[in-house]
Amino acid sequence: MDGTLKIPSVTGIDVELRIAGPGGRSYAFVIDWHIRVLVALAWMIVSGLAYFGSVRTIPALDATSSDFIFIVVLPAAALYLLYHPVLEVLMRGSTPGKRIAGVRIVKRDGGVPGVGPLLVRNLFRLVDSLPFFYFVGLATTLLTKQSVRIGDIAAGTLLVYDDAHAGTFEDAPSSRGIERLGLERAELVRDLLTRWPELRSDARTTLARRLLEHEETVPDTLGDEALRARLERLLS
Amino acid sequence: MDKTSKWLEVRLPLWRDVAAKLDSVERGRHADPEAVTKVIAAYPEIARDLAIARREAPRGPLTRQLERIYLELHRSIFRSPSRMRHDLAALFVTDAAKIAAALRWHIVWVTALFFASASAGAWLVNQYPELVGLFASEAMIEQVQSGQLWTEGLLNVVPSSLLAVQIFTNNISVALFALVIGIFYGLGTAYIIGMNGLMLGAVFSYTAQHGLAERLFEFIAAHGFVELSVIMVAGACGVSLGEALARPGRDTRVVAFQRASMRAAKLMVVCCAFLVGAGVIEGYVSPNPSYSLAIRLCIGLGYLALFVIVLSGALGRLPRPRE
């Protein structure tokens, strides 16, 4: 499986993006699906209670049925059906689910897709969702080299991983820290500190000790938080 | 201070500044020209810094941050200009006509298939009236047998506004499905067009046998011309998708399919807009008995003329957008 997308540049410095596989895609889709179902249901309940004073699901054919459909059913259906196309356009190739899963839609040249390609990839959901539970879409992501569904093939788009761990320039190591450790080691310390809350206690302790042992003697009695404080001091 | 820490101390303020300026350029509707110039000028500088960072700390967070900002710069500088309003106007005034002209033979073939199927449906039900059960529901058949159309008294049951919304959402779904199902080498689209033709021919023939064909024509006169024309155009778009896969020409299948999809989607935007109008007419005019056949024909043929004008490019040319 070809797992990266190489983006050539006029400067000669290329960048590679990791292509999201069926797992990353499905994870994002499942989150989005839950969000849109919940939002649509919430609308039905809130608008139903506000307008009719009760939660109704099946409209009776009476004088209020068209009010019910225009106020409760249609907006809820629009929220559910237009969630992907509208949010992908507004969030320039992303949705809340994709953000949480750390993926985004890009063009094959790595650029942000325009309105046209985003609408086309959503239009082909009609085929990708056939015959049930996105079977065609899932099958094509499993079978294609770049894990794309038919909508992506039609629109010329891909799903790639966004580097969520990159952080910002604000927490770059200080000059003194770099002078003390060298850039590569300072970056390793910074990377470990960024990921500290996500790592298991034994794993981060082992890594912290290995990094600190190059600079100072580390007593065996030092605990988790003390090791972290020493790492932070190294960078300051 | 060693070389690397000095480099970082000098460059870090620039990276922070570029990140902030890029953010303001991307978020703002009207970007500050000075900020844009700075962002563009920073592109090769960031490329050079990225090369240094990759050498010094290949997998570190700093390299990844630089890669990220470099990519954002690349996207921002090389993306096509956004001219939403102009593009939308151009779609209706010129682009739809160009696409329709490119698909003219597809439209002719799909229309021929539709009328052939309609004739077959009409002949079948004319020869074997009991076969109407294949094309119409039991309730519809019973109503026709009792000398009434299923469309009569529709407004007593469903309000016009609701009817219009139901109709145009259904028609848009059918048109879009007829398009995307063309991915099966055009066979899916051919099936949908053929089935719709068979159904229309059969129902017309059956109503004719009970002396109701004139009333059915009266019902569809205001909305039917555009509705059917849009389905033909959607079918033609679907067939063109199938053709791109079966006969990609000099391009690869993927490239030909992408081109056909984008072209078809553009045309479908125009078609869907017309389907909304047709739905409104079908909800408000068609079931209302106070409109005479002459008025219905005026509305139907007038709306069809507008559709033909858009697809023929007779709306003229659009002024060039301001740069």
Side-chain angles (χ1 to χ4, degrees):
Chain A
M1 193 179 281
D2 186 7
T4 57
L5 173 70
K6 195 169 187 176
I7 299 155
S9 156
V10 286
T11 59
I13 308 293
D14 301 340
V15 180
E16 280 187 355
L17 295 172
R18 272 194 312 134
I19 294 170
R25 295 182 72 107
S26 308
Y27 180 42
F29 179 80
V30 168
I31 297 170
D32 278 327
W33 186 82
H34 278 90
I35 294 173
R36 61 190 174 133
V37 166
L38 288 174
V39 169
L41 276 177
W43 175 265
M44 287 188 84
I45 292 167
V46 170
S47 60
L49 283 173
Y51 196 79
F52 298 101
S54 67
V55 180
R56 294 159 62 179
T57 47
I58 302 162
L61 282 175
D62 57 25
T64 61
S65 64
S66 86
D67 285 356
F68 178 80
I69 288 176
F70 278 107
I71 292 165
V72 178
V73 179
L74 279 179
L79 283 170
Y80 183 79
L81 296 172
L82 301 178
Y83 174 92
H84 278 286
V86 171
L87 284 185
E88 283 173 8
V89 170
L90 292 179
M91 294 173 72
R92 305 173 71 219
S94 192
T95 56
K98 289 187 181 73
R99 278 221 175 144
I100 294 167
V103 295
R104 68 180 292 175
I105 307 163
V106 294
K107 290 194 293 185
R108 283 177 184 273
D109 62 2
V112 178
V115 179
L118 288 173
L119 292 184
V120 168
R121 87 183 281 283
N122 279 293
L123 175 62
F124 276 86
R125 281 184 196 278
L126 287 170
V127 173
D128 281 314
S129 59
L130 288 175
F132 49 78
F133 297 133
Y134 271 81
F135 181 82
V136 170
L138 195 60
T140 45
T141 55
L142 288 167
L143 294 173
T144 49
K145 222 164 55 171
Q146 294 183 316
S147 301
V148 283
R149 62 176 177 84
I150 291 171
D152 287 311
I153 299 172
T157 52
L158 287 170
L159 235 71
V160 294
Y161 284 108
D162 235 357
D163 195 352
H165 290 294
T168 64
F169 289 118
E170 301 309 318
D171 45 271
S174 69
S175 309
R176 267 201 317 188
I178 292 170
E179 212 167 339
R180 195 181 299 141
L181 301 169
L183 182 62
E184 194 166 11
R185 193 165 291 279
E187 287 286 88
L188 275 175
V189 173
R190 186 179 161 210
D191 209 7
L192 176 59
L193 285 171
T194 315
R195 292 167 185 236
W196 194 265
E198 300 162 23
L199 294 172
R200 278 202 334 261
S201 174
D202 56 331
R204 64 194 188 200
T205 313
T206 313
L207 287 169
R209 280 182 185 283
R210 265 196 216 163
L211 287 167
L212 283 167
E213 274 163 4
H214 280 89
E215 310 304 322
E216 53 193 82
T217 49
V218 187
D220 290 341
T221 50
L222 272 189
D224 205 44
E225 279 309 305
L227 286 167
R228 183 181 179 166
R230 283 199 179 198
L231 285 174
E232 279 168 350
R233 208 172 53 228
L234 271 183
L235 280 187
S236 60
Chain B
M1 195 182 276
D2 74 356
K3 231 168 96 180
T4 316
S5 52
K6 199 172 173 187
W7 169 74
L8 195 69
E9 202 171 80
V10 172
R11 304 304 292 167
L12 207 50
L14 172 94
W15 301 336
R16 285 177 182 150
D17 185 43
V18 169
K21 284 209 164 57
L22 184 61
D23 198 46
S24 74
V25 165
E26 285 298 305
R27 279 176 198 278
R29 198 168 160 76
H30 299 288
D32 172 23
E34 200 185 323
V36 175
T37 316
K38 278 201 174 163
V39 161
I40 295 169
Y43 181 58
E45 289 186 46
I46 300 276
R48 192 187 58 208
D49 292 338
L50 175 59
I52 295 169
R54 276 178 176 169
R55 189 188 63 207
E56 298 293 326
R59 290 172 192 276
L62 186 73
T63 308
R64 298 210 304 267
Q65 279 163 12
L66 280 170
E67 275 181 353
R68 197 174 189 175
I69 194 136
Y70 177 63
L71 195 62
E72 290 297 324
L73 278 169
H74 180 81
R75 283 174 181 149
S76 186
I77 292 168
F78 293 100
R79 73 151 190 246
S80 333
S82 166
R83 297 181 305 212
M84 190 75 173
R85 270 189 218 160
H86 178 270
D87 290 351
L88 199 60
L91 180 60
F92 279 84
V93 177
T94 51
D95 296 358
K98 282 181 196 159
I99 299 168
L103 295 178
R104 61 190 180 281
W105 287 111
H106 297 83
I107 296 172
V108 168
W109 282 112
V110 167
T111 310
L113 171 67
F114 181 82
F115 282 107
S117 313
S119 308
W123 179 82
L124 266 177
V125 170
N126 195 35
Q127 295 296 310
Y128 311 100
E130 64 277 12
L131 286 183
V132 74
L134 293 173
F135 308 105
S137 68
E138 200 63 43
M140 269 170 77
I141 295 168
E142 274 172 21
Q143 257 185 308
V144 171
Q145 282 171 348
S146 64
Q148 264 200 326
L149 278 181
W150 58 95
T151 55
E152 283 164 22
L154 205 57
L155 289 182
N156 298 333
V157 184
V158 192
S160 290
S161 53
L162 189 56
L163 197 60
V165 173
Q166 273 177 351
I167 289 163
F168 74 67
T169 46
N170 178 58
N171 286 342
I172 288 172
S173 317
V174 171
L176 295 181
F177 198 69
L179 160 69
V180 296
I181 207 74
I183 195 171
F184 299 111
Y185 293 95
L187 294 176
T189 305
Y191 174 78
I192 286 183
I193 296 294
M195 281 309 291
N196 274 289
L198 268 178
M199 216 176 285
L200 189 79
V203 168
F204 248 108
S205 172
Y206 193 65
T207 48
Q209 286 168 21
H210 292 81
L212 296 169
E214 211 172 293
R215 272 154 71 186
L216 182 59
F217 177 74
E218 200 172 319
F219 176 75
I220 64 166
H223 67 268
F225 298 121
V226 166
E227 209 172 87
L228 283 178
S229 306
V230 167
I231 299 295
M232 299 304 114
V233 174
C237 291
V239 169
S240 78
L241 289 193
E243 192 190 4
L245 291 169
R247 297 193 310 171
R250 286 182 188 172
D251 294 321
T252 63
R253 280 194 165 74
V254 169
V255 171
F257 176 61
Q258 264 170 29
R259 192 170 297 150
S261 303
M262 292 303 293
R263 190 173 66 174
K266 276 185 170 181
L267 195 51
M268 286 315 293
V269 172
V270 175
C271 287
C272 287
F274 272 92
L275 279 181
V276 171
V280 171
I281 294 171
E282 194 172 347
Y284 284 89
V285 178
S286 302
N288 191 336
S290 62
Y291 291 103
S292 67
L293 179 62
I295 294 174
R296 285 161 191 264
L297 278 174
C298 279
I299 294 171
L301 292 174
Y303 197 41
L304 178 68
L306 182 64
F307 185 60
V308 172
I309 285 171
V310 170
L311 290 200
S312 62
L315 284 178
R317 285 169 64 182
L318 210 63
R320 281 170 65 89
R322 281 185 300 164
E323 294 299 330

